[in-house]
Amino acid sequence: MNPPKTDARRHHDPEVRGFASDNYAGAHPEVLAALALANGGHEVAYGEDSYTENLQSVVRSHFGPTAEAFPVFNGTGANVVALQAVTDRWGAVICAESAHINVDECGAPERVGGLKLLTVPTPDGKLTPELIDRQAYGWDDEHRAMPQVVSITETTELGTVYTPDEIRALCEHAHAHGMKVHLDGSRLANAAATLDVPMRTLTNAAGVDILSLGGTKNGALFGEAVVVLNQDAVSHMKHLRKLSMQLASKMRFVSVQLEALLARDLWLRNARHSNEMAQRLAEGVRAVHGVEILHPVQSNAVFARLPHDVSERLQKRFRFYFWDEAAGDVRWMCAFDTTEDDVDAFVAALKEEMAR
């Protein structure tokens, strides 16, 4: 059978890769194959399909027998839905000042979710029980938003990784205060790959109540999931997902991607590779005089400081972003499809620009 004709044409060079974001990468071929497998014929809409049903057993194999997955369109949607599910109208969420929910979601948790963020500055993107206590007070004060949730990110926005013991200590501390714990796991796979532990070790086994599970940054075309780990901690998830405009009618196409990543080891293979490429990049950068690596390289991110004019010239050859333009700080991200040649070409270009 001949493939259907189409007027679509390629508008980009598939050989070009940069270091701006793992979101720049395409979809993994195994994910695309899964999407094709799910296509054709009619399946029940709004999550009553067989792919979403099977995803539940796959998710439980990673996060325990009580875990329940609610596929959504994107990471911001996952975070907003998850945080709404564990807060009251007067509730607040304690998070790192650098947290994605605070810096990069256009105020969605507060404006769409209707909750208050209580931020804490951190040197490495990681909260501690002591840092939580800076905002964990005033539960009986009707003049203050009530701290009800602690939200952490794994890996953090600075590329650092919480250990299982650190997450467990945070969960025990939060629970002792009557608060719940949300984990933004857009790059949870990278943390698990770095630590060589199952994802459950960093989530339900450590006491996390609800999880935003990432897919897009690790090889999916689109789609994440809210995973409820503690059923007693949430209520009305179905209604919250719909209310937040995150209920996909053709949900099978979200669920089958997550199934492709999680059913075997694709999630781990992709994360390990992107982590390894970041380590290769860091090793090459360390040899360049005048470039400073700012944070431990524990995942697929490298943060560095170099002269502003060098970064501007280098950006004309490879895409990447300033993290703090005034300070000259930049972020370089590796993806599941970053190659050794990509990294080596970037390091060579960096050396050339630093020598000018």
Side-chain angles (χ1 to χ4, degrees), residues 173-217:
H173 192 72
H175 292 156
H177 284 296
M179 297 186 292
K180 303 177 181 73
V181 178
H182 163 255
L183 191 146
D184 180 348
S186 62
R187 296 186 178 97
L188 177 62
N190 296 90
T194 291
L195 298 170
D196 195 24
V197 298
M199 288 188 287
R200 69 174 66 88
T201 305
L202 300 167
T203 52
N204 55 302
V208 172
D209 296 294
I210 194 165
L211 164 69
S212 299
L213 179 63
T216 309
K217 291 177 171 63

Side-chain angles (χ1 to χ4, degrees), residues 143-185:
H143 301 287
R144 187 173 194 265
M146 182 186 292
Q148 293 184 320
V149 179
V150 173
S151 180
I152 61 175
T153 312
E154 181 77 304
T155 62
T156 75
E157 287 72 19
L158 300 181
T160 52
V161 171
Y162 286 97
T163 66
D165 287 343
E166 288 172 332
I167 296 177
R168 189 175 299 108
L170 288 172
C171 290
E172 290 175 355
H173 192 72
H175 292 156
H177 284 296
M179 297 186 292
K180 303 177 181 73
V181 178
H182 163 255
L183 191 146
D184 180 348

Side-chain angles (χ1 to χ4, degrees), residues 2-11:
N2 294 325
K5 293 182 179 179
T6 175
D7 290 329
R9 61 187 67 184
R10 177 169 278 160
H11 297 285

Side-chain angles (χ1 to χ4, degrees), residues 5 16 23 39 45 111 127 171 189 235 256 273 281 331 340:
K5 293 182 179 179
V16 172
N23 284 325
N39 196 27
R111 294 181 63 85
L127 289 176
C171 290
S235 61
V256 76
H273 179 78
L281 176 58
R331 186 191 73 168
E340 292 183 355

Side-chain angles (χ1 to χ4, degrees), residues 211-228:
L211 164 69
S212 299
L213 179 63
T216 309
K217 291 177 171 63
N218 200 32
L221 180 65
F222 67 93
E224 325 283 301
V226 177
V227 182
V228 176

Side-chain angles (χ1 to χ4, degrees), residues 87-92 114-116 139 142 144-148:
T87 53
D88 293 312
R89 287 285 302 277
W90 51 88
L115 50 90
K116 173 69 175 174
W139 288 277
E142 67 267 35
R144 187 173 194 265
M146 182 186 292
Q148 293 184 320

